[in-house]
Amino acid sequence: MKGTNLGEFEELVLLTIASLNNSAYSVSICDEIERVTKRKVKLGVVHSSLNRLEEKGLVKSHLGDATKERGGRRKRFFEVSHTGKVALLKAKEQRDQLWSTIPDVVFQGIRS
Amino acid sequence: MEYYTGCGFSGYQVMTPQPPKWADKLLEWYCRKDKLEDLQGDLYEFFNRNVAEKGLSRARMIYFLDAVKFFRTYTIKKLKILGRMNSFRLFENYWKTSVRSIARNKLFSSINVVGLAISMSVGILMIVFVSELLSYDNFHEKSSRIYRVISSFEGVYNQGDPSNLASTSPFIAKKLKESYSGIEKVLLFRRNFSGDVRYGEKIITLQGHWMGDSFFDIFSFDVKSGNPGTMLAEPHTAVITETTAEKLFDEEDPMNKVITINGEDEFTITGVVADPPKNSHIQFDILTSFITYENDQTEDGSDRYLKVTNMWMYHVYLLLHENTDPSQIQDHLDQICEEENAKSDRYEVGFYLEHLSEIVPGKDLSNQVGPTMDFNIIYIIGGLTFIVLLSACFNYTNLSIARSLRRAKEVGIRKVVGARRRQIFTQFVLEAVILSLAALVLALGLFYIIRPEFLSMDIDDTVSMVIRPVYIAYFVFFSMLVGVIAGFLPATFLSKIAALKALRDPGRLKLFTGVNLRKILIVFQFTLSIAFIIGATISYQQYKYAVNFDLGYNTENILNVRLKGNDSELIKSSFSTVPGVEAISKSAFILSSGNIWGATLKYDDPLDSISTHLNYVDENFIDLHDFELLAGSAFPIRVNTENEEHIIVNELVLKRFNMGTPDEAIGKVMDVDGEKMAIIGVVKNFQHAMIESDQHEFIFRYVPDNFYYVNLKVQSGDMISLIHNLEKKWRKIDDVHPFEAEFFEDKLQEAYSEYQYYFKIIGFLAFLAISISSLGLLGMAVYTAESRIKEISIRKVLGATERNLIYLLSKGFILMILMAGLIAVPLTYYLFDQLVLSDVANRISIGFMELSMGVFITMLIALLTVWWQTNRAARANPATTLRDE
């Protein structure tokens, strides 16, 4: 069913929010994803993805303080909700499970 | 650079970079309150970053783009107005109910969609066709000020029936240029230049016009090189198109190169233009300067060139000044006509101004410059299309009204809850529009199936029938219009239903003042079908009649080969060695296929002249074509150096000049275009023109210079290799022009292709009409059978036989079709007998066969349709149908 599964980008955003811990708002999330993945991330994409995550109940948000470079406007900070954490853990579990079943020979000789 | 320092309302105007105000406004206008603050904040943050990295203007640009890009479903405000507008919210509901109702009644929806699609495909065809025609010549920048002068000529031979010409005389151009103001440019040219153009080793055949030097000042053709104002000003200069340049010069620059035309005249290339667009009524590969031609015409000092009646090959176009009133120019022209007509009583000329946009589509004129389309044809085809469309709309109307009982409860409840009549009306019209939009998709598919057929009717040099993006908008509008027309009546009926009645006892609802209307609509549809089938039958019969008409001479196994400027004797001697060729004659043109040549003929009274039709033929022609000689003989062999002495005439000539019996006429001397010639033979009358015209006075002359065809009498089991052998011989003599041979019989069929087109178009429309009306009938039959199933079952229980029941159910339909036949037969008979075929000299008589065919076919199809359904109903087991009550 729609909404239970995490999309790849959604998972990325969710993980970033978790890693930024309390200072996650759209611009910082953008920057962080760009830093880690080295790919250009559009604000619009992050924004709509945050909106989706919030609709699904995977993240919670609240407004923070005003800053001057934002023309006196407040930031909306995001944190991962309980459901979000469960979803992330579930995703990780699935992955770990798959990783554990891969025989060593498959990755022989490859280093990241 | 200073950054923003806090509150926006500080009194100090700090010089900080600001995003564009109006982009901000836009964002604030559409964005939801709860999303606005942080979104705008984010954008500001990025803006400041971009200012530092990319500069202010780029940053402002990006800010604006972002503001636009964030217009998304989750960011926009719920429109307050929408909330208040019930009808808009209801729209959603209408949509849902409509789609559900369409999906529930699969049979009826598909009958409607298919019927609409079939007729709409023709509608689309018409839209594309007419739009393309209307786009003709609209690419010229000054098109609003361009006019041309057209003429009419009424001479002795066509009194009461003046020729209307797209051409006019050079005299007019001179007169307008010299004596009148208000005209910025006058263009005079001679159409149909054709020649073999040689450059170096290459020879190609090109078509074009002798073009006046103001051509490029008036028209906006895309000049690639050369000076548009002067490139046709000098004698012996030519302008070629890019395609021509490529063919003739390959990679070389054609400018200032010298080409040879027809082996003698040398022309310098002074310009290259892009190929004329398809929607230009002036088409050309090459333009040669008109002054070259003009000098040639006037150098012998004769005044023929500037005679007002020299009006068959020349065209005059005018570019008026911005503030010139065209009626003023027309007054000038009228004045010129008056002066000229006063000078002679042998003819009467007229000159008229025609705007560029009226050329294609336009009036039915002779001597057109390029392809055109008669406006009347558009009206006729458009009218027929409209009728077929209407027929499909009626299907929808009929079926919806018939089934409206089932929707009555829905309407009742809507009304109780507070729906207004207008809203219900809207709902049902919307339903029809949804269906017609669905039909549009199917219709587009059908369009691509019928398009090649349409193009094959000899109009592919006029239109290309390619769908341009803007047409899609026309199509959607068109299909919505169809939907509204189709849905209008059912919507009116349904919205009239009184809520209380509908809910209390829907069975007793009397909304069927519609019953009679429905019958009328069905009768209309079948009248149409029958009429179209009869029309198609008649035009097919007439075509067959025309092709098999006994012309009075033999056309079988005769192969006509165009000489294309080659020496007739040379070709003849070369072809005569090919096995299978039995005899060879030479002639000027092919008889009976639309061409007519004329000359003035006199006998003993110098004042009594007629215009006779003629052909130039050699000594073998009469024999080869089996003309029946009533007296005298065919021509003796003639050498070009001798004087022309003999003519062969037909009986009508003898009758016209009272020359007695054929035998008496032999040896009498006649005056042909001022030369004396003796009658050497008399042939029986034959049909030398197309069969629309009567037989006419006709003479054969023998002038070797005027041969353009050789006629081969061939006899071979293997025509293909015979023609192949002929082509080989041809190549040896002429390797520039392709070998062009055609059997006489094929040529005749081609000449009568017009009838074939009528047959095709009417036949196709007949097919559409019958499909649509049968679909409608099927729907009605299903509905009738369904709604009377209980009655039928009870009758059956009480002892009615299946045959009784089928009769009972189909009686009404059969009556309607008979009625349609009663209307259609006399109507079509009158239409074809009195209007369409009335001018045709040799025509079929419309008999019982032709007329009954339509009724018979329609009846058969309708009966099968009805029988299929009623049979099912009649066979149903009463136990199952009566059980559930």
Side-chain angles (χ1 to χ4, degrees), chain B residues 325-517:
Chain B
D325 180 6
S327 66
Q328 201 181 321
I329 307 293
Q330 182 61 53
D331 290 344
H332 294 334
L333 289 171
D334 290 344
Q335 196 185 335
I336 297 174
C337 290
E338 213 170 296
E339 284 168 23
E340 288 306 313
N341 288 332
K343 287 182 195 165
S344 167
D345 54 359
R346 289 188 56 80
Y347 56 78
E348 191 150 334
V349 293
F351 298 109
Y352 313 95
L353 214 53
E354 186 182 54
H355 188 254
L356 182 67
S357 63
E358 294 166 336
I359 297 177
V360 184
K363 304 187 193 78
D364 184 15
L365 303 173
S366 309
N367 301 347
Q368 289 283 7
V369 183
T372 181
M373 188 55 64
D374 186 355
F375 230 110
N376 290 330
I377 292 179
I378 295 182
Y379 284 139
I380 292 172
I381 306 185
L384 292 177
T385 312
F386 179 72
I387 293 175
V388 171
L389 255 174
L390 215 55
S391 179
C393 288
F394 288 169
N395 265 355
Y396 182 86
T397 306
N398 258 349
L399 292 177
S400 310
I401 294 180
R403 297 183 62 82
S404 55
L405 265 188
R406 311 199 162 202
R407 304 291 293 275
K409 258 196 184 140
E410 181 193 329
V411 173
I413 289 177
R414 279 182 191 278
K415 284 212 164 167
V416 167
V417 183
R420 302 244 175 85
R421 190 170 164 188
R422 215 186 53 226
Q423 291 173 318
I424 303 215
F425 183 83
T426 317
Q427 182 199 343
F428 286 99
V429 168
L430 181 77
E431 198 169 312
V433 170
I434 292 173
L435 265 184
S436 72
L437 283 174
L440 177 64
V441 180
L442 201 59
L444 273 176
L446 287 175
F447 167 77
Y448 279 103
I449 299 175
I450 55 178
R451 179 174 169 266
E453 278 299 308
F454 186 69
L455 281 178
S456 73
M457 291 194 288
D458 264 0
I459 54 161
D460 50 341
D461 54 347
T462 314
V463 288
S464 54
M465 302 298 287
V466 173
I467 294 185
R468 296 202 200 116
V470 58
Y471 294 174
I472 302 289
Y474 300 167
F475 296 161
V476 171
F477 177 75
F478 162 71
S479 96
M480 283 165 75
L481 190 73
V482 169
V484 172
I485 294 174
F488 183 80
L489 282 177
T492 313
F493 279 117
L494 279 162
S495 62
K496 250 194 339 208
I497 295 176
L500 258 184
K501 272 192 196 162
L503 292 176
R504 194 193 292 152
D505 188 2
R508 290 229 319 263
L509 261 183
K510 283 276 176 277
L511 40 102
F512 292 142
T513 45
V515 173
N516 281 326
L517 178 84

Side-chain angles (χ1 to χ4, degrees), chain B residues 75-326:
Chain B
T75 57
I76 52 174
K77 285 175 191 164
K78 289 268 183 216
L79 281 179
K80 273 186 217 144
I81 320 159
L82 282 192
R84 269 189 252 130
M85 257 172 57
N86 255 332
S87 58
F88 187 83
R89 317 254 37 211
L90 272 175
F91 219 71
E92 244 181 81
N93 178 273
Y94 295 162
W95 171 263
K96 230 174 227 173
T97 23
S98 297
V99 169
R100 279 179 191 162
S101 143
I102 291 169
R104 193 165 45 236
N105 305 315
K106 290 213 174 55
L107 176 71
F108 289 85
S109 311
S110 32
I111 286 178
N112 280 324
V113 168
V114 171
L116 283 174
I118 291 175
S119 59
M120 275 164 70
S121 63
V122 192
I124 289 178
L125 195 77
M126 276 316 287
I127 293 178
V128 177
F129 182 56
V130 174
S131 318
E132 198 167 336
L133 285 179
L134 290 178
S135 79
Y136 254 77
D137 298 310
N138 63 1
F139 59 92
H140 298 297
E141 279 159 30
K142 301 168 191 159
S143 61
S144 63
R145 293 190 282 136
I146 304 175
Y147 291 80
R148 75 170 172 186
V149 180
I150 56 176
S151 332
S152 69
F153 178 85
E154 190 175 353
V156 187
Y157 68 90
N158 64 348
Q159 229 145 24
D161 180 28
S163 315
N164 294 311
L165 312 169
S167 55
T168 192
S169 44
F171 169 79
I172 282 293
K174 186 164 172 268
K175 203 77 175 166
L176 286 173
K177 217 185 284 186
E178 282 169 2
S179 326
Y180 297 99
S181 62
I183 303 168
E184 192 178 319
K185 296 271 180 195
V186 176
L187 168 69
L188 170 63
F189 73 93
R190 187 188 191 277
R191 75 167 186 283
N192 289 9
F193 162 88
S194 167
D196 296 337
V197 176
R198 189 168 65 84
Y199 175 73
E201 293 298 298
K202 270 194 197 143
I203 303 180
I204 55 176
T205 307
L206 296 177
Q207 318 285 335
H209 308 284
W210 296 97
M211 190 52 76
D213 58 346
S214 52
F215 182 63
F216 293 103
D217 296 332
I218 296 178
F219 295 109
S220 317
F221 288 98
D222 188 7
V223 177
K224 294 292 179 191
S225 48
N227 180 346
T230 59
M231 57 195 184
L232 286 169
E234 297 297 316
H236 292 278
T237 54
V239 171
I240 55 176
T241 62
E242 283 182 309
T243 310
T244 309
E246 220 166 274
K247 275 192 211 156
L248 209 55
F249 296 97
D250 287 329
E251 302 290 285
E252 269 183 88
D253 178 19
M255 290 298 284
N256 299 321
K257 296 279 185 324
V258 175
I259 53 174
T260 315
I261 296 182
N262 289 339
E264 29 190 299
D265 291 335
E266 294 195 330
F267 285 79
T268 312
I269 306 284
T270 47
V272 179
V273 294
D275 293 358
K278 178 121 187 166
N279 60 353
S280 161
H281 81 283
I282 303 181
Q283 296 287 335
F284 53 87
D285 310 319
I286 184 168
L287 297 171
T288 41
S289 62
F290 181 73
I291 183 106
T292 324
Y293 188 83
E294 195 177 24
N295 288 345
D296 206 38
Q297 292 292 301
T298 48
E299 75 185 350
D300 61 350
S302 90
D303 56 351
R304 214 188 45 212
Y305 170 69
L306 276 177
K307 262 195 177 164
V308 71
T309 48
N310 184 16
M311 51 164 54
W312 310 92
M313 291 308 290
Y314 301 92
H315 298 268
V316 171
Y317 286 70
L318 308 175
L319 178 65
L320 303 189
H321 279 299
E322 304 263 7
N323 46 13
T324 307
D325 180 6

Side-chain angles (χ1 to χ4, degrees), chain B residues 627-633 648-652 654 661-663 666 681-685:
Chain B
F627 282 94
E628 193 177 332
L629 273 170
L630 297 173
S633 64
I648 296 174
V649 300
N650 69 354
E651 293 170 285
L652 284 172
L654 304 190
T661 66
D663 287 311
I666 299 296
V682 177
V683 291
K684 204 168 180 277
N685 287 335

